Amino acid sequence: MGCWNQNVEAMPPEELRQVQYRLAKALVSRIYETSEFYRRRMKEQGVRPDDIRSLADIRKLPFMYKQDLRDNYPDGLFCAPRDELVRYHVSSGTTGKPTVVGYTRRDIENWSESLARAFSSCGLGRGDVLQVSYGYGLFTGGLGVHYGAERVGATVLPTSVGNTERQIELMQDLHTTAIACTPSYLLHMGEVAEKMGVSIRDDTDLRIGILGAEPWSEQMRSRIEEWLGIRAYDIYGTSELSGPMFTECSEQQGIHIWGDLALAEVVDPKTGEVLQPGERGELVVTILQKEAFPMIRYRVGDITIMDEAPCACGRTHPRIRRIQGRVDDMLIVRGINVFPSQVEHALLEIPEVGRHFQIVVDRKGALDAMLVRVEVSEEAFSDKITDLMMIRKMVEHRLRGSLNVGVAVELVEPGSLPRFEGKSKKVVDRRSL
Ligand code: DLL
């Protein structure tokens, strides 16, 4: 498929590395000047902007972790004046505090540019109607994809998530040709459509799925492509790094990471040592041109493999393979990130329940369902069903409020959940991809 920005996307690799070096050096100097946080971090590590004399010198810089966002909530990592921010997005943190990301106008431009290149590489452009069924609002999915799609000239149908029957009617009536959503939501749509007597394959114009925000597999891709009669492309990103930014190209052989916008490394999660292309490890990303919220060597927590081999599409930017898991215990439930520590944190604030809980995640049809089993505290334990029902409703309400995802709660007797001597196993994930 034709490039959106041929000069950049097909740049010789050596030239691209030069561009990366120049951008990285400028970024490091800028944040050292403007940010108290980065200056302190670099001093602790004994590295100064002058020490960055080649691209490989980036490895001298300290890593950043999700914990850094939490410790500096809400805006301690911002590097642009407040009045230059044009948007915030917010996502789940590891405990009570969410993570807040700010964007300048130029940050939104670069984010849209990244997606414009990505969408063109999947064959999306003028004449397409893209139904955006990612959530609009604090989540980066809806608005992120929206701006990228408008930039390539597609017509956007911003349905956001939910109200599935209506989505299917609109898909037919407005001749949607492409959809952006989680792979599990598309499977759910397929099922709901069949119940309505609509075959997505035969009765709609859908030909492309831009699917991500949660783990999925090659088998799931085949199932979706065969059943719905579309080409399904993987889209990747995280809120800390802007939001969705990168997709596969028409070759469907890995996700191109635009090297002038992001510098990707894969490291050994235990030692932090940079691994060779082809070796599996944790993705680390530096966002090279971000003004408001630069991220330097951010340990994303996703497991992947770097691929620097030339791609048959002609784009020279490196690829990462499909995300193969997490280094931490983060779960993704209906596209929302959930950390067991958030559940623990929320439960600790409720005196009627104890400290012991278990999370069970399963699929109901195509959709995820999350159950939290929690012990009632000795004091609140009662043989009156109405009392227990009230507690259950209240706990469900509180968990939904802090996790932003619907949760069923099951109350169990004090002392009845398994106790662990070593590392506790708080999550039972019964989903298979
Ligand atoms: O999920 C951004 C996004 C929106 C990506 C729309 C794609 C499409 P967060 O909510 O911060 O941001 O979650 C980021 O989701 O670290 C991965 O663990 C997981 N994830 C995202 N895309 C994929 C994917 C958005 N294609 C976290 N495959 C990431 C597997 C994915 N996991």
Side-chain angles (χ1 to χ4, degrees), residues 109-124:
E109 281 284 305
N110 282 332
W111 185 11
S112 311
E113 164 73 17
S114 182
L115 282 171
R117 293 183 201 169
F119 291 157
S120 306
S121 81
C122 316
L124 197 87

Side-chain angles (χ1 to χ4, degrees), residues 66 90-92 99 111 115 134-135 139-142 144-145 180-183 210-217 233-246 255 283 298 300-303 321-326 328 330-332 335-337 433:
K66 195 147 186 138
V90 179
S91 78
S92 25
T99 55
W111 185 11
L115 282 171
Y134 283 120
F139 181 54
T140 53
V145 166
C181 60
T182 58
I210 310 273
L211 311 179
E214 66 183 11
W216 57 311
S217 59
Y233 297 98
D234 199 2
I235 177 166
Y236 176 75
T238 86
S239 42
E240 301 90 315
L241 307 173
S242 280
M245 276 183 87
F246 311 109
I255 296 166
L283 182 65
Y298 179 59
V300 183
D302 291 320
I303 298 171
R321 300 253 181 89
R322 183 184 281 289
I323 301 299
Q324 304 180 356
R326 295 276 312 169
D328 57 17
M330 184 178 94
L331 292 162
I332 302 185
I336 309 273
N337 305 347
L433 296 179

Side-chain angles (χ1 to χ4, degrees), residues 10-20 308 316-317:
M11 187 183 277
E14 187 41 46
E15 208 178 302
L16 181 59
R17 279 191 278 275
Q18 288 293 330
V19 169
Q20 290 186 307
E308 291 184 352
T316 50
H317 296 235

Side-chain angles (χ1 to χ4, degrees), residues 102-157:
Y103 304 76
T104 63
R105 192 162 300 285
R106 180 140 175 261
D107 293 336
I108 300 279
E109 281 284 305
N110 282 332
W111 185 11
S112 311
E113 164 73 17
S114 182
L115 282 171
R117 293 183 201 169
F119 291 157
S120 306
S121 81
C122 316
L124 197 87
R126 229 186 150 77
D128 276 302
V129 177
L130 177 71
Q131 186 159 338
V132 180
S133 309
Y134 283 120
Y136 278 70
L138 293 176
F139 181 54
T140 53
L143 283 167
V145 166
H146 185 116
Y147 275 56
E150 280 192 350
R151 181 162 287 211
V152 294
T155 308
V156 180
L157 177 59

